[in-house]
Amino acid sequence: MLNLATIRGVLFDMDGVLYRGRQVLAGVSEVLAFLDSQRIAYACITNNASMTPAQYEEKLQAMGIAIPSDRVVTSALITGRYLRTTYPAGTRVLIVGMRGLREIVLGDGYFVEDRLTPDLVIQGVDFETTYAKLKEATLAIRRGARYIVTNPDRSFPSEEGLIPGSGAIMAALVAATDATPLVIGKPAPTMFLVAAQMLGLDPAQTLMVGDRLDTDIAGAHAAGMPAALVLTGVTRREELGTDLMPDLVVEDLPALLAHWREARL
C-alpha cells in the first residue's frame, strides 16, 4: 500500500501527465504548488527525445509551468551519456530523430554524422520521418551498424489523440532488418535512477507519476520506486490487470492531489 506521507520527491512523465501536445492538463499548477509548500522535490523524465531539455523548459514556460531545464531528463540525454561511455570519439552515426536527439548526440562534435557507412544507427521519435529515412537506416543496419533506440513507446499522446511514437518507427525497422535494437529509455531503470540521484533521494522515497504501464510503471518498479498511474494519457482503466499494477491509480492530477492531502492530515 502506497504511503504518500513518506514520499520526498516526485518524477513526472510529461506527455499525458502534465500536458497533451500543448494543452495543459488539469491540476498541474495545483500539484506543483502543493509540492513546493511541502518541500517535496520534483523533476520530469520523458521518453520523448524530440526536444532538448532547454526546449522543454521553454515549452513548459509557455504553458505556465515553471520547471527548469536541469530538472528535465529525456531519453535522448540518457542515450547520449550511454553512447559517450561506450563508443570512442569519431564514431560514425546515422540518426533517425529530431532536434532533441540530434543536438545531444552531435552537438559537441564527439560523434561524426555519416549517412552512408555509419557504425551506429540511433533512432528516436521523428514526426517527419520518410520512407527514404527508413530505407537509409535499414540498409545501414543490414550492413552491420549497431541499432540503438531511445525509447520503445509505440504511441504518443497528442491533442488529436494517440499518434505513432518511437516504437512504431522501431517496429518498421525491426521488420525490415530482423535486428534486435538496444533500447535505452523507459522501462530500463537508468532514467529513473539518474533522476532520483539528481534530486538527492533514494528511489524508495521517490514517486513516479506516469500514464503508461509498459514504460512508466514497469520502469519505476524495476528501479525500486513506487508508482502512481494517471488515466489522462495512454493507459485506460479497462487495461489494468494483475501484471504491472501501479501502487496507486487515479483519474488525473487533481485526484492524486486529493489523495496526497488526505495522507498529510
Side-chain angles (χ1 to χ4, degrees):
M1 183 68 179
L2 176 62
N3 182 3
L4 289 169
T6 66
I7 297 299
R8 302 307 310 151
V10 181
L11 300 179
F12 292 102
D13 181 48
M14 300 172 77
D15 301 295
V17 176
L18 302 181
Y19 54 76
R20 291 178 70 102
R22 294 192 176 275
Q23 176 186 350
V24 182
L25 293 171
V28 174
S29 59
E30 292 82 1
V31 166
L32 297 184
F34 172 80
L35 296 179
D36 286 334
S37 72
Q38 301 295 314
R39 297 186 178 180
I40 297 172
Y42 53 86
C44 296
I45 62 173
T46 177
N47 263 354
N48 186 348
S50 65
M51 298 193 298
T52 65
Q55 286 178 300
Y56 273 114
E57 179 180 350
E58 293 175 4
K59 176 175 179 173
L60 291 168
Q61 284 181 340
M63 293 188 289
I65 305 172
I67 298 177
S69 61
D70 62 359
R71 291 301 173 95
V72 177
V73 178
T74 70
S75 62
L77 190 66
I78 299 300
T79 299
R81 290 187 182 186
Y82 167 79
L83 293 173
R84 281 165 178 75
T85 58
T86 307
Y87 297 98
T91 297
R92 298 165 297 170
V93 301
L94 185 159
I95 296 177
V96 179
M98 300 172 70
R99 178 179 171 184
L101 181 58
R102 292 183 60 82
E103 285 193 6
I104 284 173
V105 175
L106 299 172
D108 61 357
Y110 185 93
F111 294 104
V112 177
E113 186 168 27
D114 185 337
R115 308 200 69 84
L116 296 177
T117 57
D119 303 301
L120 308 174
V121 171
I122 306 165
Q123 179 244 304
V125 71
D126 187 347
F127 298 141
E128 298 178 351
T129 196
T130 62
Y131 183 86
K133 290 181 183 179
L134 296 178
K135 174 183 174 181
E136 204 170 43
T138 296
L139 292 173
I141 294 167
R142 283 196 169 276
R143 283 194 295 263
R146 184 74 172 96
Y147 180 24
I148 298 170
V149 178
T150 62
N151 72 90
D153 293 10
R154 292 173 296 173
S155 57
F156 183 89
S158 73
E159 301 98 323
E160 301 166 287
L162 295 180
I163 60 177
S166 172
I169 298 173
M170 180 179 77
L173 289 177
V174 168
T177 63
D178 295 319
T180 300
L182 172 65
V183 179
I184 301 294
K186 298 181 285 184
T190 306
M191 291 182 69
F192 301 87
L193 297 174
V194 168
Q197 184 180 43
M198 183 175 70
L199 295 178
L201 295 171
D202 185 89
Q205 299 174 294
T206 309
L207 176 68
M208 176 65 208
V209 180
D211 70 311
R212 301 185 72 114
L213 291 172
D214 57 346
T215 55
D216 298 324
I217 307 307
H221 286 171
M225 286 181 187
L229 178 77
V230 292
L231 301 175
T232 49
V234 172
T235 303
R236 297 290 175 257
R237 190 174 292 277
E238 55 269 23
E239 297 175 51
L240 297 173
T242 55
D243 297 332
L244 297 178
M245 274 302 292
D247 300 282
L248 177 67
V249 179
V250 292
E251 290 294 329
D252 50 22
L253 290 179
L256 175 63
L257 181 56
H259 278 277
W260 218 315
R261 283 175 170 155
E262 183 178 344
R264 292 272 162 171
L265 293 177

